[in-house]
Amino acid sequence: MKTEEAPAEKGSVPAAESNSPATKGHAAAAEGSAPTTKGNTPAAEENAAVAEGSVSAAERNTPVAETPGSAESGTAKTSGCGEAIHERFVRFLRRHHVLTLATVAEGVPYCSNAFYCYDKERNLLVFTSDPATRHAQEMERNPRVAASVVLETKIVGRVQGLQLCGTAARADETARRAYLKRFPYAALAELTLWAIRPDYMKLTDNTLGFGKKLIWNDKLESSS
């Protein structure tokens, strides 16, 4: 016996219409509104980078200095320096604690790593190194050094790294106090402290936009 379909109730949507592109689009939008796991997509990574870096839209749209000798808004004056240092340099250096040091002797370069503290008032990176080490002996012969500090991350939108050139010398008592304040346990060790006074710094900061750079140059003849 043939069974007739019951008439649709007034206001109901026929099955054909429920499968229409518009309806599917609403479903897709609903699915897309579900929380996503951080890092699953480039967009999610970028959003996470902005959130973790606390970078406002205004900051991301601010023109960034890419040439030596330029000072921006948000700079901090540091004693002993001819040019104000952008506050982002200060925040980055104080947030991290390991640097890679590059020295050279007789034309042969060498790298080493060291814990450091940053003396904001005098713009010094203070670290300890035994006089018997290779890099300490090379600093004694040639005080011109380079160094880098990086944020280790796989998220492109969070990439940050700082490169610098400067002069290394034995640290004074003020630098020692700053170092021990940052690393109190080092008070039990016999320390030979050094301080790097930068004259050139370059901060690559992807939280401002891909490949954006801030440059601080206290000596215009310094190379990049």
Side-chain angles (χ1 to χ4, degrees), residues 98-121:
V98 177
L99 62 79
T100 298
L101 173 70
T103 55
V104 65
E106 299 177 358
V108 180
Y110 180 70
C111 284
S112 57
N113 297 307
F115 289 103
Y116 77 90
C117 77
Y118 180 60
D119 181 343
K120 172 184 174 181
E121 301 304 320

Short mmCIF file of all heavy atoms in Angstrom, two decimals, residues 98-121:
data_model
loop_
_atom_site.label_atom_id
_atom_site.label_comp_id
_atom_site.label_asym_id
_atom_site.label_seq_id
_atom_site.Cartn_x
_atom_site.Cartn_y
_atom_site.Cartn_z
N VAL A 98 70.73 34.54 28.60
CA VAL A 98 71.85 33.83 27.98
C VAL A 98 72.23 34.54 26.69
O VAL A 98 71.37 34.81 25.84
CB VAL A 98 71.51 32.36 27.69
CG1 VAL A 98 72.67 31.67 26.98
CG2 VAL A 98 71.17 31.61 28.97
N LEU A 99 73.51 34.83 26.52
CA LEU A 99 73.99 35.43 25.29
C LEU A 99 74.99 34.51 24.61
O LEU A 99 75.62 33.67 25.26
CB LEU A 99 74.62 36.81 25.54
CG LEU A 99 75.86 36.92 26.44
CD1 LEU A 99 77.16 36.54 25.71
CD2 LEU A 99 76.00 38.35 26.96
N THR A 100 75.11 34.66 23.31
CA THR A 100 76.17 34.01 22.55
C THR A 100 77.21 35.06 22.24
O THR A 100 76.90 36.09 21.63
CB THR A 100 75.63 33.40 21.25
OG1 THR A 100 74.67 32.38 21.58
CG2 THR A 100 76.76 32.75 20.45
N LEU A 101 78.43 34.81 22.67
CA LEU A 101 79.52 35.77 22.54
C LEU A 101 80.44 35.36 21.40
O LEU A 101 80.83 34.19 21.29
CB LEU A 101 80.31 35.84 23.85
CG LEU A 101 81.58 36.67 23.86
CD1 LEU A 101 81.24 38.16 23.76
CD2 LEU A 101 82.39 36.39 25.13
N ALA A 102 80.80 36.31 20.57
CA ALA A 102 81.74 36.06 19.47
C ALA A 102 83.00 36.88 19.70
O ALA A 102 82.93 38.11 19.85
CB ALA A 102 81.11 36.42 18.14
N THR A 103 84.15 36.19 19.75
CA THR A 103 85.45 36.85 19.87
C THR A 103 86.30 36.45 18.68
O THR A 103 85.97 35.53 17.94
CB THR A 103 86.14 36.43 21.18
OG1 THR A 103 86.24 35.00 21.22
CG2 THR A 103 85.35 36.90 22.40
N VAL A 104 87.41 37.14 18.52
CA VAL A 104 88.30 36.82 17.40
C VAL A 104 89.75 37.06 17.80
O VAL A 104 90.04 38.00 18.55
CB VAL A 104 87.94 37.65 16.14
CG1 VAL A 104 88.18 39.13 16.37
CG2 VAL A 104 88.71 37.17 14.92
N ALA A 105 90.63 36.19 17.33
CA ALA A 105 92.06 36.35 17.56
C ALA A 105 92.81 35.87 16.33
O ALA A 105 92.56 34.77 15.82
CB ALA A 105 92.51 35.54 18.79
N GLU A 106 93.69 36.72 15.84
CA GLU A 106 94.49 36.41 14.65
C GLU A 106 93.61 36.00 13.48
O GLU A 106 93.94 35.07 12.73
CB GLU A 106 95.52 35.32 14.98
CG GLU A 106 96.50 35.74 16.07
CD GLU A 106 97.46 34.63 16.44
OE1 GLU A 106 97.33 33.52 15.87
OE2 GLU A 106 98.34 34.86 17.29
N GLY A 107 92.49 36.67 13.36
CA GLY A 107 91.59 36.44 12.23
C GLY A 107 90.72 35.21 12.34
O GLY A 107 89.96 34.89 11.43
N VAL A 108 90.77 34.50 13.48
CA VAL A 108 89.98 33.29 13.67
C VAL A 108 88.85 33.57 14.66
O VAL A 108 89.12 33.90 15.82
CB VAL A 108 90.85 32.12 14.18
CG1 VAL A 108 90.00 30.87 14.37
CG2 VAL A 108 92.00 31.86 13.22
N PRO A 109 87.58 33.44 14.25
CA PRO A 109 86.47 33.71 15.15
C PRO A 109 86.17 32.53 16.07
O PRO A 109 86.52 31.38 15.77
CB PRO A 109 85.30 33.96 14.20
CG PRO A 109 85.62 33.12 13.00
CD PRO A 109 87.12 33.14 12.88
N TYR A 110 85.52 32.85 17.19
CA TYR A 110 85.17 31.81 18.18
C TYR A 110 83.89 32.23 18.88
O TYR A 110 83.66 33.42 19.14
CB TYR A 110 86.30 31.64 19.18
CG TYR A 110 86.05 30.59 20.24
CD1 TYR A 110 86.02 29.24 19.92
CD2 TYR A 110 85.83 30.96 21.56
CE1 TYR A 110 85.79 28.27 20.88
CE2 TYR A 110 85.59 30.01 22.54
CZ TYR A 110 85.58 28.67 22.19
OH TYR A 110 85.35 27.72 23.17
N CYS A 111 83.03 31.25 19.21
CA CYS A 111 81.77 31.54 19.91
C CYS A 111 81.70 30.81 21.23
O CYS A 111 82.23 29.70 21.38
CB CYS A 111 80.57 31.11 19.05
SG CYS A 111 80.21 32.24 17.69
N SER A 112 81.03 31.42 22.18
CA SER A 112 80.77 30.80 23.49
C SER A 112 79.46 31.35 24.02
O SER A 112 78.93 32.34 23.50
CB SER A 112 81.92 31.10 24.46
OG SER A 112 82.09 32.50 24.59
N ASN A 113 78.93 30.72 25.07
CA ASN A 113 77.67 31.15 25.67
C ASN A 113 77.90 31.52 27.13
O ASN A 113 78.75 30.92 27.80
CB ASN A 113 76.62 30.04 25.58
CG ASN A 113 76.28 29.71 24.14
OD1 ASN A 113 75.94 30.59 23.36
ND2 ASN A 113 76.37 28.44 23.78
N ALA A 114 77.12 32.46 27.62
CA ALA A 114 77.28 32.89 29.01
C ALA A 114 75.97 33.46 29.54
O ALA A 114 75.19 34.05 28.79
CB ALA A 114 78.37 33.95 29.11
N PHE A 115 75.76 33.28 30.84
CA PHE A 115 74.66 33.95 31.51
C PHE A 115 75.04 35.44 31.64
O PHE A 115 76.19 35.77 31.90
CB PHE A 115 74.43 33.37 32.90
CG PHE A 115 73.83 31.99 32.90
CD1 PHE A 115 74.62 30.88 33.16
CD2 PHE A 115 72.49 31.81 32.63
CE1 PHE A 115 74.07 29.61 33.15
CE2 PHE A 115 71.93 30.55 32.61
CZ PHE A 115 72.72 29.45 32.88
N TYR A 116 74.05 36.30 31.47
CA TYR A 116 74.33 37.73 31.58
C TYR A 116 73.21 38.42 32.33
O TYR A 116 72.09 37.92 32.46
CB TYR A 116 74.48 38.35 30.18
CG TYR A 116 73.16 38.59 29.49
CD1 TYR A 116 72.46 39.80 29.62
CD2 TYR A 116 72.56 37.60 28.71
CE1 TYR A 116 71.24 40.01 29.00
CE2 TYR A 116 71.35 37.80 28.08
CZ TYR A 116 70.69 39.00 28.23
OH TYR A 116 69.47 39.20 27.63
N CYS A 117 73.51 39.61 32.80
CA CYS A 117 72.47 40.52 33.29
C CYS A 117 72.64 41.83 32.54
O CYS A 117 73.75 42.15 32.07
CB CYS A 117 72.55 40.72 34.80
SG CYS A 117 73.85 41.84 35.35
N TYR A 118 71.58 42.58 32.42
CA TYR A 118 71.63 43.83 31.68
C TYR A 118 71.51 45.00 32.63
O TYR A 118 70.55 45.12 33.39
CB TYR A 118 70.51 43.89 30.64
CG TYR A 118 70.50 45.16 29.82
CD1 TYR A 118 71.59 45.50 29.03
CD2 TYR A 118 69.40 46.01 29.84
CE1 TYR A 118 71.59 46.66 28.28
CE2 TYR A 118 69.39 47.18 29.08
CZ TYR A 118 70.50 47.50 28.30
OH TYR A 118 70.49 48.66 27.56
N ASP A 119 72.52 45.86 32.60
CA ASP A 119 72.52 47.09 33.39
C ASP A 119 71.93 48.19 32.51
O ASP A 119 72.61 48.75 31.65
CB ASP A 119 73.96 47.43 33.80
CG ASP A 119 74.05 48.69 34.66
OD1 ASP A 119 73.08 49.48 34.69
OD2 ASP A 119 75.10 48.88 35.31
N LYS A 120 70.65 48.48 32.73
CA LYS A 120 69.94 49.44 31.89
C LYS A 120 70.53 50.84 32.00
O LYS A 120 70.66 51.56 30.99
CB LYS A 120 68.46 49.46 32.29
CG LYS A 120 67.64 50.56 31.63
CD LYS A 120 66.22 50.56 32.16
CE LYS A 120 65.43 51.75 31.60
NZ LYS A 120 64.06 51.78 32.13
N GLU A 121 70.89 51.26 33.21
CA GLU A 121 71.33 52.63 33.42
C GLU A 121 72.62 52.93 32.67
O GLU A 121 72.82 54.05 32.20
CB GLU A 121 71.53 52.89 34.93
CG GLU A 121 70.27 52.69 35.76
CD GLU A 121 69.12 53.54 35.24
OE1 GLU A 121 69.37 54.70 34.86
OE2 GLU A 121 67.98 53.05 35.22
#
